Amino acid sequence: MSLWDSLLKRFKKNRESEISVPAEQTSEEEVPALTMRDLPEKSLDSLPEARWPPFPRAVEAVTSRAIIDSQAELIRSLCRVTPLSEKEIDAVLLPCIVSLAEFVHLLPASQYDHHMGTGGLFGHSLEVAYYAVNGAKSRIFDVTESPEKAHLNRSRWILAAALCGLVHDIGKAVTDIIVTSESDQEVWYPRQETLAHWLRRKKLASYYVSWKQNRENNRHQTASVEYAHAIIPQATYSFLSAAGNIRIGICQVVFPKMFNCSEPL
């Protein structure tokens, strides 16, 4: 089963499952809605130095908005290549990016490999979404539909590709990483809330990241599917469902090797 098939199937299930997901813990007051007009034209250099040394180092509990602004140019590029109106971008894509920043905060994407610096997971997810959109643009979807319907659905398919890119590695925050306070007395449990909400609730100024020992290789892929609806809101799923048939493996089309598919559709 493809990642996108799994996302849709998972969303339709009862939210009570073996791997519980964080409820909507944030309020509009804590995390204001983001629009394209809110984004700076240039990324703001307001984050800690983007490196992840082998020695313990506190990660500053910056706001989600600061994290988003630090990647403003990449986010604008992603929005620009996604064939949606500005109103649609504000309604169905940017809320996913805000949720992603809330969930992964400044976590790294890997321990010793790519994007292992501060904020690496957020930046990597945006980059994969960007390349997924460009890859999807060269594909033909809805081959059994009329040309008119296929054209109307095309933007939704490409949005689905972006979403697969945004969520493809979020499971690492669940299965691979441990987040604690400086005293180790407080531990973040991603099954209960987002990292940013935990920091606000505990009134923490910083946190520490460590990697779980003997973690199972690629176990994060399953968790990424399970936690996708913590990133993708109901309004975005509803927008996608208007096409009626976005259920085949769009991730297989865009990234067959990444998702262990034998060949693209």
Side-chain angles (χ1 to χ4, degrees):
M1 181 180 293
S2 71
L3 176 63
W4 189 248
D5 284 329
S6 300
L7 297 185
L8 293 180
K9 183 178 179 181
R10 171 65 183 165
F11 185 74
K12 293 174 183 177
K13 286 183 178 180
N14 190 301
R15 294 198 175 192
E16 294 296 327
S17 63
E18 293 184 1
I19 301 181
S20 58
V21 297
E24 293 184 2
Q25 301 282 351
T26 56
S27 68
E28 291 183 3
E29 190 173 284
E30 292 173 321
V31 187
L34 179 69
T35 68
M36 281 291 290
R37 296 190 179 193
D38 297 327
L39 281 172
E41 292 294 333
K42 297 290 185 180
S43 299
L44 301 184
D45 186 18
S46 58
L47 297 185
E49 184 182 356
R51 63 186 179 91
W52 205 266
F55 52 85
R57 186 178 71 159
V59 181
E60 185 181 351
V62 300
T63 65
S64 298
R65 181 56 192 272
I67 297 170
I68 290 168
D69 287 351
S70 74
Q71 295 285 355
E73 291 176 75
L74 179 54
I75 294 171
R76 280 189 171 276
S77 294
L78 172 60
C79 294
R80 186 176 63 251
V81 298
T82 305
L84 298 171
S85 68
E86 183 172 327
K87 183 178 180 180
E88 290 170 335
I89 290 287
D90 291 346
V92 300
L93 179 55
L94 287 180
C96 301
I97 293 174
V98 172
S99 295
L100 178 66
E102 282 280 298
F103 191 73
V104 305
H105 204 256
L106 291 177
L107 296 179
S110 66
Q111 186 173 10
Y112 299 117
D113 196 7
H114 67 90
H115 297 82
M116 61 183 183
T118 306
L121 184 51
F122 184 65
H124 171 59
S125 300
L126 291 171
E127 289 175 3
V128 173
Y130 175 81
Y131 287 116
V133 166
N134 284 305
K137 283 184 170 182
S138 65
R139 303 288 179 169
I140 298 175
F141 305 104
D142 287 339
V143 293
T144 61
E145 299 287 358
S146 66
E148 293 80 7
K149 188 170 184 179
H151 176 73
L152 290 173
N153 289 345
R154 183 171 179 269
S155 62
R156 288 177 168 83
W157 279 100
I158 295 173
L159 172 62
L163 299 178
C164 283
L166 288 177
V167 306
H168 84 283
D169 256 357
I170 61 170
K172 289 182 177 180
V174 180
T175 62
D176 295 6
I177 290 173
I178 299 173
V179 174
T180 62
S181 64
E182 182 176 3
S183 64
D184 284 341
Q185 292 182 347
E186 303 290 348
V187 180
W188 173 51
Y189 295 102
R191 291 170 174 80
Q192 297 178 1
E193 59 192 326
T194 68
L195 177 49
H197 184 269
W198 176 74
L199 293 169
R200 289 192 296 268
R201 184 171 63 83
K202 295 294 185 179
K203 297 180 172 57
L204 297 175
S206 62
Y207 60 94
Y208 284 80
V209 173
S210 61
W211 291 84
K212 294 180 181 179
Q213 299 298 316
N214 302 317
R215 57 188 179 273
E216 183 180 337
N217 190 37
N218 291 328
R219 185 167 176 260
H220 71 275
Q221 294 178 355
T222 301
S224 293
V225 172
E226 296 290 342
Y227 279 73
H229 76 253
I231 306 300
I232 306 172
Q234 174 64 55
T236 303
Y237 277 107
S238 297
F239 178 80
L240 291 172
S241 68
N245 66 345
I246 301 184
R247 62 183 182 273
I248 68 171
I250 191 165
C251 65
Q252 295 179 0
V253 176
V254 181
F255 293 120
K257 293 182 180 179
M258 179 179 295
F259 295 101
N260 299 320
C261 305
S262 58
E263 58 182 335
L265 297 176

